[in-house]
Amino acid sequence: MIIKIKVKGIVQGVGFRPFVYRIAKKNQLTGYVKNMGNYVEIVVEGKEEDIKNFINELKNKKPPLSKIDELTIEKLHQSKKTFENFKIIKSETNEEEEEGTIPADVAICEDCLKEMFDKKDRRYRYPFIACTNCGARFTIVEKLPYDRENTSMKDFPLCNACLKEYEDPMDRRFHAQATCCPACGPYVYLTDGKEIIAEKDDAVKEAVKLLEEGNILAIKGIGGTHLTCKVGDDETVLELRKRLGRESQPFAVMSKIEHIKKFAELEEDEKKALTSPRRPIVVLNKNQNYDNYFSKYVSNLDTIGVMLPYSGLHYLLFDNEIAYVMTSANLPGLPMVKDNDQILKKLNNIADYFLLHNRRIVNRCDDSVVKKVGNNIVFLRRSRGYAPEPIKINLENENTKNILCVGAELNSTACLVKKNKLYLTQHIGNTSKYETFNYLKEAINSILKLTNTNKIDAIVCDLHPHYNSTKLAEDLSKSQNIDLIKIQHHFAHAYGLLGDNNFFEDAVILAMDGVGYGLDGNIWGGEVILFKNGKMERIGHLEEQYQLGGDLATKYPLRMLLSILYKAIGDDAFEYIKTYNFFSEKELNILKFQIKKKINCPKTTSTGRVLDAISALLNICLKKTYDGEPSIRLEPLATQYKKNMTGEIETIPPKIKNNILNTTYLIKKSYEMLLNGENKEKIAYLAHIYIAEGMFKIAEKIAKKYGIESIGITGGVAYNRIITEHIIKNAKKEGYNFLQHKRVPSGDGGISFGQGISYLLTQLFNEG
């Protein structure tokens, strides 16, 4: 008996072919296995029972990093014995236009880690140690098939010892494209930007000393560069903030698993995320001992973003320190630097020393970030460790088109839709910046190349006319004569939530964030959306408020507070705002003229702007230095009150009319409580509950009206634990199926995914 098997999925660069070789030998089969660019082809010959056992093991005992999406079996005609033995044969390029899948970068495995610290091993303290089960993948690949000559490792020909392992199917380094050793692989070196101070292991040891002495180092890693320093030194951390231009945005830190409970709370599912081969940054709650180890300037929140070492180099850095600041080496809004010349040039006035290496990074890739909200671990940023692995959705109808989705503007990603798979790029960032916009174009070209996509049938973009991503979509549409579809921002969020859950039935979805261009030309951000019969409809929202000074109101939350207070108490609002000593008399007069004449005061229903106003009212954040800062810094106050409160608390009953939640009333009540000496933590908490309770009541009313059993939340506000968990509690109490993101970010990093789902649902299933 002879059969041909075609396996699609994550089956390259994960030890799949040697696995096939071993189980074929075990079951006394002959034939071959080879890569075909975007799938693996297997031909086996032998007894029917042995082939059945082989197929069973193929499905159920596959390598841990592999994933089988599709397996087809074809029985071949056989007249006589065809093969003498079983072989792994040379890869071929598949001419069909089908998707290929490159596995994401994964952390160093236990076997390699053990070898790296074994003095008798030839890879002792070698930072680029890797095998089939670990190491760089996406960040080094140039094209398919995923073979060494198609990666940046082609710059390092294997020595005889490594070549022997590479060619031995029984060795765990068989066709491990990143494998190497000190004799043939990349090396690290330390420089002050002018001359090389040390090389190889001496460079690592010297770097550790420099960190201990309070220096700031730029350290080139797998997918880019980190800026690194000690976590306990106020002066050093403040200096890093000054040089980097990050006034208050929390720094991520790297620590070993045995140290984390010294400074943070760690639940079992958070630990599972931390220790997974994907190694994301996990946002953890600080514990009572945090201040004993960390400078107060590392994070001014009640949380700290923590990741474990994920490369050999990272592990070599840890000597006496329990943690290091490990933040992406990029100026605000710009891509992380990855090339040695650019690292030295752009970080010249930021880092004191540079620990670099001579392996090219082909695809830069920021660290992923996750956080526990409710009982789920959710993505704040989906990048290293996950990109560019596709997200598969269940479709009743087959999609035959290739759809490019270009995302929004902030925290951006792009997405390619092929059949029932959606390929999200790595995190891109703020595409209003020219360099980041170019990075978006590079990432799009990369994902098209790696998925063997030669033709795009349609492009989907945001409705906002001034986004660079929208302009890119328009240009591509015109130059390539392909369809262009524009999707409203919050509808894309809602579609993304449905696709993330493989749920395409009727639902009421709360889309809550900072900004999105609305169908009426106003700024949306606190929306209740009805998904019914395959269509989205905005059916409720927060009260419209005036954004005093347009975009300036997002940077200076006092403008938002003044606007809403003026609506609530009239001219007294100006007298109150004077107490902050933030605006000059001249500025206040201009603001008074603006708000009374409604000059440059666009309307907004943004949840973020209301939370900003509360943050300003409580004097928490008067100037935004990073996206979402005022509301992000407000949440810890509310959390503190929630932790300390006992029994039931009297809340502010939400005022709702015509499915619109009155936020002027919320600001007025909060203002009155503050004047009456009420605790700030309590005001912050009640404001969160007012918004959560009010939005849920609108959603529930709509659900009852239309007989809908599912309610969900999406958008950046879905990261707010107090708001989201209160809505979840109410939804479950009333018996609703609750939808929450699981596989893509609920913020703008998931917009491109939602754009793809929108196209699939509206174009494929609702035509006619």
Side-chain angles (χ1 to χ4, degrees):
M1 182 179 181
I2 182 169
I3 63 167
K4 179 190 286 187
I5 304 171
K6 186 176 181 179
V7 187
K8 288 186 177 182
I10 301 171
V11 289
Q12 294 189 35
V14 291
F16 195 79
R17 287 177 299 163
F19 158 71
V20 171
Y21 176 89
R22 288 191 290 271
I23 62 172
K25 288 284 190 181
K26 176 184 173 183
N27 288 286
Q28 299 177 311
L29 302 177
T30 58
Y32 67 83
V33 58
K34 64 179 175 180
N35 275 339
M36 291 294 291
N38 48 29
Y39 65 89
V40 166
E41 180 179 287
I42 306 166
V43 172
V44 289
E45 181 179 19
K47 296 177 181 177
E48 184 175 356
E49 188 64 30
D50 292 334
I51 290 177
K52 283 182 180 179
N53 290 336
F54 171 83
I55 293 171
N56 183 59
E57 290 189 58
L58 187 69
K59 293 177 179 178
N60 300 314
K61 295 183 180 181
K62 61 186 184 298
L65 298 179
S66 68
K67 182 182 178 185
I68 296 175
D69 290 326
E70 186 180 325
L71 190 149
T72 57
I73 300 172
E74 177 188 357
K75 190 171 182 178
L76 300 180
H77 176 71
Q78 180 186 23
S79 57
K80 60 180 180 179
K81 187 173 176 64
T82 308
F83 302 101
E84 293 299 323
N85 51 32
F86 193 88
K87 294 181 178 180
I88 298 175
I89 62 177
K90 188 176 180 181
S91 301
E92 292 183 18
T93 301
N94 176 38
E95 297 300 325
E96 298 176 66
E97 188 188 342
E98 296 185 13
E99 73 279 7
T101 301
I102 294 297
D105 300 283
V106 289
I108 183 172
C109 68
E110 290 298 320
D111 287 334
C112 283
L113 196 59
K114 184 178 178 181
E115 289 174 354
M116 192 180 74
F117 287 111
D118 181 356
K119 292 182 179 180
K120 297 177 182 178
D121 196 279
R122 67 189 184 92
R123 293 184 176 90
Y124 175 60
R125 290 185 62 84
Y126 182 59
F128 298 95
I129 189 169
C131 71
T132 309
N133 300 319
C134 68
R137 304 287 203 278
F138 170 59
T139 51
I140 62 172
V141 71
E142 295 173 334
K143 62 181 181 179
L144 291 178
Y146 180 62
D147 290 330
R148 194 178 181 93
E149 60 266 27
N150 294 330
T151 74
S152 58
M153 290 304 295
K154 68 184 177 184
D155 301 339
F156 306 97
L158 292 169
C159 66
N160 289 335
C162 286
L163 186 62
K164 184 179 179 182
E165 295 168 340
Y166 184 82
E167 293 179 341
D168 182 1
M170 302 307 290
D171 195 286
R172 81 172 199 278
R173 289 190 169 89
F174 175 79
H175 280 220
Q177 310 307 346
T179 191
C180 54
C181 75
C184 63
Y187 65 89
V188 295
Y189 60 95
L190 182 70
T191 174
D192 59 3
K194 298 175 183 177
E195 60 181 0
I196 294 176
I197 298 170
E199 293 182 340
K200 301 185 177 179
D201 197 36
D202 289 340
V204 179
K205 291 175 179 177
E206 188 61 30
V208 172
K209 290 179 185 177
L210 290 169
L211 286 170
E212 291 293 318
E213 291 168 4
N215 290 286
I216 297 168
L217 267 67
I219 300 177
K220 182 180 175 183
I222 289 178
T225 309
H226 288 108
L227 287 165
T228 308
C229 69
K230 293 171 68 174
V231 296
D233 189 328
D234 282 355
E235 184 179 344
T236 304
V237 177
L238 274 174
E239 183 63 24
L240 176 57
R241 288 201 173 280
K242 178 183 174 183
R243 295 181 190 178
L244 195 53
R246 279 177 59 173
E247 294 179 36
S248 61
Q249 186 174 6
F251 286 136
V253 302
M254 181 175 282
S255 180
K256 295 175 78 172
I257 189 65
E258 58 264 31
H259 295 315
I260 291 176
K261 287 190 176 181
K262 293 177 181 177
F263 58 84
E265 297 173 6
L266 184 61
E267 296 183 11
E268 196 56 40
D269 45 2
E270 293 170 330
K271 182 179 179 181
K272 185 177 179 182
L274 266 174
T275 57
S276 77
R278 301 178 186 272
R279 289 290 202 279
I281 296 171
V282 181
V283 178
L284 302 175
N285 290 323
K286 296 175 180 175
N287 67 20
Q288 59 186 5
N289 298 315
Y290 174 88
D291 292 335
N292 295 335
Y293 300 99
F294 283 72
S295 163
K296 62 182 177 181
Y297 301 110
V298 173
S299 170
N300 60 2
L301 304 179
D302 58 350
T303 56
I304 180 73
V306 185
M307 60 181 149
L308 298 188
Y310 55 84
S311 74
L313 180 59
H314 292 149
Y315 276 97
L316 293 173
L317 293 174
F318 282 91
D319 194 357
N320 298 319
E321 292 295 308
I322 69 162
Y324 289 112
V325 167
M326 195 71 71
T327 187
S328 295
N330 59 288
L331 294 171
L334 299 180
M336 180 171 55
V337 287
K338 67 179 180 70
D339 299 321
N340 292 353
D341 59 340
Q342 292 298 303
I343 294 169
L344 294 172
K345 180 181 177 181
K346 294 187 175 182
L347 303 180
N348 179 47
N349 296 317
I350 298 175
D352 298 312
Y353 297 92
F354 305 83
L355 185 61
L356 308 179
H357 61 74
N358 62 336
R359 183 171 73 188
R360 289 182 295 117
I361 296 172
V362 179
N363 301 297
R364 85 185 85 208
C365 203
D366 285 83
D367 298 311
S368 295
V369 186
V370 301
K371 176 184 179 181
K372 185 174 182 180
V373 180
N375 290 319
N376 286 331
I377 300 291
V378 300
F379 281 102
L380 278 70
R381 185 165 74 199
R382 183 184 184 273
S383 200
R384 178 191 51 76
Y386 300 90
E389 291 180 8
I391 296 167
K392 189 176 180 181
I393 62 167
N394 300 325
L395 298 172
E396 291 181 10
N397 301 42
E398 183 181 355
N399 168 39
T400 58
K401 296 182 179 180
N402 298 328
I403 316 302
L404 176 63
C405 309
V406 295
E409 182 169 74
L410 299 176
N411 300 311
S412 184
T413 61
C415 179
L416 175 68
V417 184
K418 296 193 73 168
K419 295 187 177 178
N420 64 338
K421 295 178 184 176
L422 290 90
Y423 295 82
L424 279 164
T425 67
Q426 67 271 46
H427 168 75
I428 304 299
N430 182 358
T431 55
S432 69
K433 304 284 187 179
Y434 181 69
E435 283 187 54
T436 312
F437 177 57
N438 284 334
Y439 178 25
L440 171 66
K441 291 190 283 187
E442 289 171 12
I444 288 171
N445 289 333
S446 177
I447 205 76
L448 293 176
K449 190 175 182 181
L450 292 178
T451 55
N452 196 24
T453 304
N454 301 315
K455 177 176 174 284
I456 294 295
D457 297 295
I459 299 177
V460 189
C461 68
D462 196 272
L463 195 63
H464 201 298
H466 301 308
Y467 282 174
N468 276 334
S469 57
T470 301
K471 294 173 184 176
L472 172 64
E474 291 170 343
D475 290 344
L476 287 172
S477 174
K478 288 177 183 177
S479 65
Q480 298 185 25
N481 192 29
I482 50 182
D483 291 342
L484 173 65
I485 298 95
K486 295 185 178 182
I487 300 296
Q488 198 281 322
H489 187 91
H490 300 95
F491 288 1
H493 271 308
Y495 278 117
L497 179 65
L498 296 175
D500 200 352
N501 287 272
N502 278 312
F503 182 90
F504 304 116
E505 298 175 21
D506 296 347
V508 179
I509 299 168
L510 302 174
M512 303 165 69
D513 61 6
V515 59
Y517 191 81
L519 294 174
D520 56 4
N522 293 326
I523 303 165
W524 291 5
E527 313 309 312
V528 184
I529 296 170
L530 171 66
F531 177 73
K532 188 167 176 62
N533 299 326
K535 294 181 180 179
M536 293 286 178
E537 181 184 359
R538 182 202 199 200
I539 210 158
H541 53 83
L542 297 187
E543 176 189 0
E544 289 183 338
Q545 300 291 356
Y546 291 102
Q547 201 163 290
L548 181 53
D551 286 344
L552 282 174
T554 68
K555 186 173 183 179
Y556 301 107
L558 270 177
R559 287 173 171 261
M560 208 64 230
L561 174 62
L562 175 57
S563 173
I564 303 175
L565 265 185
Y566 175 73
K567 197 173 180 181
I569 63 174
D571 284 347
D572 287 348
F574 293 96
E575 293 303 313
Y576 178 72
I577 292 297
K578 285 181 182 179
T579 63
Y580 288 86
N581 295 316
F582 192 84
F583 298 115
S584 68
E585 194 69 33
K586 182 180 178 180
E587 286 175 311
L588 276 174
N589 287 333
I590 294 172
L591 292 174
K592 184 181 290 189
F593 178 77
Q594 273 188 281
I595 199 165
K596 290 195 173 187
K597 298 293 184 180
K598 301 297 181 287
I599 298 171
N600 193 21
C601 291
K603 294 178 181 178
T604 180
T605 58
S606 166
T607 311
R609 299 296 79 79
V610 175
L611 291 170
D612 288 356
I614 295 290
S615 186
L617 176 71
L618 302 180
N619 205 14
I620 294 165
C621 182
L622 304 184
K623 178 185 175 184
K624 182 190 78 170
T625 65
Y626 62 90
D627 188 39
E629 179 182 4
S631 53
I632 289 171
R633 290 177 60 185
L634 176 67
E635 186 181 353
L637 261 74
T639 301
Q640 189 59 46
Y641 185 79
K642 183 181 179 182
K643 284 181 179 178
N644 295 335
M645 72 180 194
T646 55
E648 291 295 319
I649 182 172
E650 185 179 343
T651 58
I652 306 171
K655 278 196 170 186
I656 301 167
K657 184 178 181 180
N658 298 326
N659 292 333
I660 298 172
L661 178 61
N662 187 322
T663 51
T664 302
Y665 176 68
L666 168 63
I667 299 299
K668 184 181 179 183
K669 290 292 290 182
S670 301
Y671 164 74
E672 290 170 350
M673 284 190 289
L674 186 65
L675 290 186
N676 290 329
E678 190 60 83
N679 181 292
K680 284 186 178 183
E681 285 85 354
K682 181 178 179 180
I683 297 170
Y685 178 74
L686 293 183
H688 281 76
I689 297 302
Y690 180 92
I691 292 170
E693 189 72 22
M695 292 296 275
F696 174 75
K697 283 185 179 296
I698 298 172
E700 184 182 29
K701 178 184 174 184
I702 295 166
K704 285 181 177 178
K705 179 179 178 179
Y706 291 97
I708 291 172
E709 299 178 352
S710 298
I711 292 175
I713 187 169
T714 185
V717 175
Y719 299 134
N720 185 299
R721 286 170 171 161
I722 294 178
I723 290 175
T724 299
E725 289 171 4
H726 187 81
I727 292 171
I728 291 173
K729 182 183 75 173
N730 282 351
K732 292 188 174 178
K733 180 181 176 183
E734 298 301 324
Y736 289 98
N737 170 44
F738 192 80
L739 303 176
Q740 188 178 4
H741 282 277
K742 300 170 184 174
R743 300 180 291 174
V744 299
S746 62
D748 283 6
I751 282 288
S752 62
F753 176 84
Q755 290 170 343
I757 298 296
S758 166
Y759 183 93
L760 291 176
L761 292 187
T762 58
Q763 300 298 315
L764 295 177
F765 304 124
N766 295 326
E767 289 181 347

